[in-house]
Amino acid sequence: MYRWQTIAQKREQHVNENLRRANQKRRQYDYAAGEAVLKKVHNPTSLGVRTNGPYTIDRVHVNGTFTIRLRPGVTERINIRRVVPYR
């Protein structure tokens, strides 16, 4: 009969392997102030637009968010997952 410790260790190894495999597919990108980004649309239709913008980044914060300028005098603090780099 297996011990609970070995079952937990095997499960942890399996989770770590899945995370390592998923992280290999991610693209690394560092945003900086002054760059342009596109804001993703929340629930796009099949033929509708998927992004709005481009918007300029005013400030990058350390917690995975940054402030974008929607128009002069109007800013929005937005999570990094809701934008894509403007190319």
Side-chain angles (χ1 to χ4, degrees), residues 46-58:
S46 59
L47 296 176
V49 295
R50 299 199 177 269
T51 58
N52 293 329
Y55 301 110
T56 306
I57 297 175
D58 275 350

Side-chain angles (χ1 to χ4, degrees), residues 57 59-67 77-81:
I57 297 175
R59 229 175 119 191
V60 179
H61 306 281
V62 294
N63 63 348
T65 61
F66 45 80
T67 305
R77 191 165 179 164
I78 192 167
N79 193 294
I80 201 168
R81 293 181 179 179

